[in-house]
């Protein structure tokens, strides 16, 4: 029997050496975890690792006893000795992602024996990334004080057999199993997981609705044109949170997320955008690594690296369910019910892993080193290559602005938390579907989208072409080959190059027409992926200098500010990656100079045109602006009227020299 430490480790510290028979809690032999030299408490015989018991101090200064353990290490590999924060057991895990444990040592083995043991301190301090949730839960007194949402696929619903992991944690009926979180009666849980879904579905629930004026809600007076970006289009400011997903409108204390089993284009990019958006509104987030398949034991294994980076970048906690399932599988337990879903023992594996984060036995300090940043776009993976050009938000239009199909039809997707049209689309089970038969079409549009998906009621099979330019050009096709009644199916309608304009440095007007070529398509909505948009209030946020007045404009535009006097100007400040200002460009429109941060960026820009148009003028943050890479910053803009060309007509109502209709600010970060 030998005690091992390598050259990178410190020598044994006699002062803190704690025998197997630990002293009483609060005794002098308790040490801060950062001072613990665990390798001095380890002896080995071949691959068998014996760890003496010890006592440590938690974040509140209380002593906690940890029992010793004897564990057999894997041969010819590197493992990590960890202290599980739920049951205070010692384990050897293959990787160090799990935030529900304290990583104590790295253990390296040959084919027959342990060759080195090294103390690890980088992630040993007992901290938690869900400190507010744990504190709120501990102090809760009433039903509904603490709210939890679950997002993901069938593993998160969860499917499988036996008592499910969610019941083990959150159903008091199963308290005897020992996994119930504390103060359970004060928790409200909403499970939005949908079997078969990808992050395309999940990201919808971290977005908002885009409604047409006919619905009388959220985005009113929206006009989408088929033509170039200068033709008429209009967003109005949101009138209420009715159009935002409940995950944004009324943020949950905690969101538990798990995706990956079903793949999906740009899966990880959408994943991080979704997590970042939830973190920005104040929810704490737990990401789970899910589990492998019986027919593919490395399924989702390598994904752990990226999820770990994602969790650290967004300040989310990572729960390595994948590793806990493997550990119990190695112990001879039957963890799988079928190829991927969990049996009773597998659900216990998930519950154990989650409990280390949701119900730690130690008092944990808050992890204050949380910085939401984007780090996945490394330019190496397929996701990474598209990262910088990928939009960070999504808006869903639940009613077409034009169709010869039948709107407001009943849906088979009646489960309240499974259908985005019902969750935040203002629809009910009796009017959520637009039914489009063979030969019919439905048109949807967005001013600044780069990509789109289509949500359908899965009860009807179909094929359809996706067209643009008023059905003149086909850019792709979509289909549903197997009926899935009762399911909301998200079909990836257009990836990063679907609109064929991402090689340019700017967004452009997007309108698609879905033309059904066989069967009947039951559309619940079209999801447009875009950068997050804020519309400035032109009365409150836009300053005028000179003789300005207000009036309604064309296309039911409710308000504009205008001047017909040379030298008059408007100005505004914004925080974002870039902006667009909408100016009237009718027959009386004049010439303007536009300044960004005091420097002219448009000199003698002529707004004149012979029709009823809006000129959308891009305000780039730098001369070599690339909206796909630029990050938000504070900027100031001034637009000054500076004459007119010889063809202009006399100013009149809704036809002015300088008519300001609105400003959109884009947040790429």
């Amino acid at each position: 029997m030998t005690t091992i430490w390598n050259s990178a480790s410190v020598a044994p510290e006699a002062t803190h050496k704690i025998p197997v028979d630990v002293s009483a809690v609060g005794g002098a032999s308790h040490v801060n975890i950062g001072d613990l030299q665990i390798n001095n408490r380890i002896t080995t015989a071949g691959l068998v690792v014996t760890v003496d018991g010890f006592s440590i101090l938690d974040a509140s200064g209380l002593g906690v006893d940890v029992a010793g353990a004897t564990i057999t290490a894997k041969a010819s590999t590197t493992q990590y000795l960890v202290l599980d924060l739920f049951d205070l057991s010692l384990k050897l895990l293959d990787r160090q992602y799990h935030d529900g444990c304290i990583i104590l040592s790295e253990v390296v083995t040959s084919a027959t024996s342990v060759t080195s043991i090294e103390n690890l301190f980088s992630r040993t301090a007992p901290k938690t990334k869900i400190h507010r949730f744990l504190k709120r839960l501990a102090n809760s007194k009433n039903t509904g004080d603490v709210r939890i949402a679950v997002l993901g696929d069938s593993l998160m619903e969860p499917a499988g057999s036996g008592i499910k992991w969610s019941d083990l944690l959150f159903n008091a009926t199963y308290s005897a199993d020992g996994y119930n979180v504390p103060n359970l009666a004060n928790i409200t849980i909403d499970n939005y997981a949908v079997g078969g879904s990808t992050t395309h579905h999940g990201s919808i629930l971290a977005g908002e609705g885009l409604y047409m004026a006919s619905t009388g809600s959220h985005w009113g007076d929206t006009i989408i044109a088929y033509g170039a970006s200068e033709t008429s289009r209009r967003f109005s400011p949101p009138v209420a949170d009715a159009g935002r997903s409940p995950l944004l409108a009324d943020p949950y204390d905690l969101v538990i997320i798990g995706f990956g089993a079903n793949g999906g284009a740009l899966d990880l990019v959408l994943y991080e955008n979704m997590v970042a958006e939830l973190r920005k509104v104040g929810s704490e987030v737990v990401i789970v690594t899910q589990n492998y398949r019986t027919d593919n034991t490395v399924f989702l294994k390598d994904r752990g690296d990226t999820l770990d980076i994602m969790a650290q970048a967004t300040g989310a906690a990572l729960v390595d369910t994948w590793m806990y399932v493997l550990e119990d599988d190695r112990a001879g337990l039957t963890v799988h019910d079928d190829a991927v879903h969990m049996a009773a023992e597998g659900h216990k594996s998930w519950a154990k892993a989650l409990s280390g984060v949701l119900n730690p036995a130690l008092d944990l300090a808050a992890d204050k080193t949380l910085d939401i940043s984007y780090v996945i776009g490394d330019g190496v993976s397929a996701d990474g290559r598209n990262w910088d050009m990928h939009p960070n938000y999504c808006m869903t239009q639940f009613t077409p602005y034009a169709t010869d199909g039948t709107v407001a039809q009943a849906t088979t997707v009646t489960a309240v938390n499974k259908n985005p049209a019902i969750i935040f689309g203002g629809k009910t089970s009796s009017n959520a579907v637009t039914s489009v038969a063979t030969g019919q079409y439905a048109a949807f549009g967005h001013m600044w989208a780069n990509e789109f998906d289509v949500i359908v009621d899965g009860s009807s099979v179909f094929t359809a072409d996706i067209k643009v330019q008023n059905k003149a050009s086909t850019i792709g096709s979509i289909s549903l080959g197997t009926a899935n009644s009762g399911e909301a199916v998200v079909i990836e309608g257009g990836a990063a190059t679907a609109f064929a304009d991402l090689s340019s440095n700017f967004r452009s007007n997007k309108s698609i027409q879905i033309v059904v070529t066989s069967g009947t398509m039951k559309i619940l909505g079209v999801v447009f992926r875009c950068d997050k948009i804020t519309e400035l209030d032109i009365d409150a946020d836009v300053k005028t200098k000179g003789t300005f007045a207000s009036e309604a404009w064309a296309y039911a535009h409710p308000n504009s500010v205008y001047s017909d006097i040379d030298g008059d100007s408007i100005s505004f400040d914004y925080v974002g990656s870039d902006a667009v200002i909408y100016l009237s460009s009718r027959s009386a429109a004049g010439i303007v100079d536009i300044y960004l941060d005091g420097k002219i960026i448009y000199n003698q820009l002529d707004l004149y045109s012979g029709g009823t148009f809006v000129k959308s003028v891009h305000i780039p943050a730098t001369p070599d602006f690339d909206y796909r890479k630029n990050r938000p910053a504070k900027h100031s803009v001034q637009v000054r009227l500076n004459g007119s060309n010889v063809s202009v007509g006399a100013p009149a109502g809704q036809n002015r020299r300088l008519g300001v209709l609105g400003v959109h600010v884009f947040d790429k970060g």
Side-chain angles (χ1 to χ4, degrees), residues 50-112:
T50 300
V51 187
D52 293 347
F54 55 90
S55 295
I56 56 175
L57 297 173
D58 66 11
S60 63
L62 295 177
V64 179
D65 291 347
V66 176
T70 298
I71 316 167
T72 301
K74 286 178 59 182
S76 303
T77 190
T78 297
Q79 290 185 289
Y80 300 91
L81 179 67
V82 305
L83 173 63
D84 185 280
L85 287 174
F86 172 58
D87 60 11
L88 297 181
S89 62
L90 293 165
K91 304 175 183 290
L92 280 173
L93 302 181
D94 293 5
R95 54 194 196 179
Q96 50 179 328
Y97 304 143
H98 185 48
D99 283 329
C101 68
I102 298 173
I103 299 171
L104 302 175
S105 292
E106 179 185 87
V107 179
V108 181
T109 61
S110 66
T112 59

Side-chain angles (χ1 to χ4, degrees), residues 260-277:
N262 300 302
L266 292 169
D267 165 48
L268 289 168
V269 173
L270 291 176
Y271 207 151
E272 186 170 14
N273 280 334
M274 172 175 44
V275 173
E277 192 63 35

